[in-house]
Amino acid sequence: MEFLDYAFMQRALLAAVLVGVTAPAIGIYLVQRRQALMGDGIGHVAMTGVGLGFLLSASPVWMATGVSVLGAILMELIRWYGRTRGDIALAMLFYGGMAGGVMFINLAPTGSTANLTSYLFGSLSTVSQSDVTAICLLAAFVVLVTLGLRRQLFAVSQDEEFARVTGLPVRALNLLTAVTAAVTVTVAMRVVGLLLVSALMVVPVAAAQQLTRSFAATFALAVALGVTVTISGTITSYYQDVPPGATIVLLTIAAFVLLTALATPLARRRARALAAAQPPGDPAECSIPVTRGAADEVGV
């Protein structure tokens, strides 16, 4: 436990825990909305914010947050109105964000491509106290949104038309989800990196879905997995001198493979139990399904 004697490791572990909580917390809604790669696109846009931070001698984290939020809003507007050429507009937004980041950081007096690398793939030793403060504030916003509005966000993620009929502000909630995803990207970029953050938003959720059957259980297990792999990856990175972002993502994928292997025999056992409980002469397709309310599905 000697790594706790170093201030940079204390900051890195705190940031890792916050990333492990926030990334799956918003990722579960993106998976439900079939927007699993949204975090990857926002990560490309955030590179422009990092470059602007170096160019203007401002905080790269806060600058990346502002640019990411603007990019997320543009993505939602393109999704609403750009039905014919929306994919081309998104591609230009993503690649323009990446190119802008490289250009701005090379124009900065104290910037270089090496500075950008730590934001692309994560770096333990470069997490400063100001970064930790910004990450804590941004993470608090993500947790408040994902937990405080979980019923509304779940409803919109499952069925936008039904949510609209019930009177929910669908567009406002969609916009809030996109903004929260953008904030999460900037929370995670110092530990996982902009190019790998999407994996931490999606893979723990996909892994949790292998074992769980309700939204609440999936949410809890995904967050637990996120915290476990981020802490384990950070410690492994310290002892083995390997990139933290890549280590965390590989551990996350390993957890997915392991849970999938455990879930396969459990699914077969459930299927056999269901078949055994089926009354003789009553085909499964003719049985009356047991319905559950939306609140029961959310698990809250």
Side-chain angles (χ1 to χ4, degrees):
M1 300 290 285
E2 70 276 5
F3 59 86
L4 291 177
D5 295 334
Y6 298 98
F8 80 92
M9 277 301 294
Q10 296 173 8
R11 295 192 295 267
L13 284 172
L14 176 58
V17 170
L18 295 175
V19 170
V21 172
T22 55
I26 187 61
I28 191 170
Y29 300 107
L30 299 181
V31 171
Q32 293 289 330
R33 289 156 55 97
R34 293 174 175 82
Q35 294 180 335
L37 296 179
M38 185 177 187
D40 188 52
I42 295 174
H44 286 68
V45 176
M47 289 176 60
T48 294
V50 173
L52 279 174
F54 280 96
L55 182 62
L56 302 177
S57 299
S59 169
V61 175
W62 287 113
M63 191 65 69
T65 301
V67 173
S68 297
V69 168
L70 290 176
I73 294 173
L74 282 175
M75 289 171 64
E76 276 300 299
L77 293 176
I78 291 170
R79 190 172 74 90
W80 294 343
Y81 301 112
R83 300 185 182 277
T84 55
R85 296 189 176 272
D87 55 339
I88 298 177
L90 287 175
M92 289 191 294
L93 180 65
F94 297 162
Y95 298 129
M98 181 180 292
V102 174
M103 180 62 70
F104 288 140
I105 202 167
N106 278 279
L107 292 175
T110 59
S112 67
T113 306
N115 298 122
L116 189 60
T117 301
S118 65
Y119 289 89
L120 293 177
F121 302 103
S123 176
L124 296 179
S125 59
T126 58
V127 180
S128 64
Q129 186 58 49
S130 61
D131 290 335
V132 171
T133 301
I135 290 171
C136 288
L137 293 174
L138 296 172
F141 168 79
V142 174
V143 171
L144 286 174
V145 171
T146 55
L147 289 180
L149 296 175
R150 61 190 182 279
R151 292 176 182 270
Q152 294 88 339
L153 294 178
F154 173 81
V156 173
S157 300
Q158 286 293 104
D159 190 337
E160 287 191 6
E161 293 302 323
F162 177 78
R164 187 174 289 107
V165 170
T166 59
L168 289 176
V170 172
R171 286 197 171 182
L173 289 171
N174 282 335
L175 198 60
L176 181 61
T177 301
V179 170
T180 307
V183 171
T184 305
V185 168
T186 56
V187 168
M189 70 179 181
R190 302 301 280 131
V191 176
V192 186
L194 292 172
L195 296 184
L196 299 174
V197 61
S198 184
L200 197 58
M201 297 169 74
V202 173
V203 179
V205 177
Q209 287 177 335
Q210 304 303 309
L211 294 180
T212 58
R213 305 181 70 181
S214 71
F215 179 83
T218 302
F219 189 101
L221 182 56
V223 170
L225 285 173
V227 172
T228 301
V229 297
T230 50
I231 292 177
S232 302
T234 302
I235 295 174
T236 302
S237 177
Y238 170 79
Y239 282 111
Q240 301 300 322
D241 193 23
V242 291
T247 305
I248 290 170
V249 171
L250 289 175
L251 287 175
T252 308
I253 295 174
F256 173 81
V257 173
L258 177 62
L259 291 183
T260 301
L262 293 175
T264 301
L266 290 176
R268 291 174 180 171
R269 192 175 305 169
R270 289 195 192 104
R272 287 196 296 267
L274 184 61
Q278 188 69 31
D282 187 11
E285 59 269 19
C286 297
S287 60
I288 300 175
V290 178
T291 59
R292 300 176 64 186
D296 293 333
E297 182 64 24
V298 177
V300 292

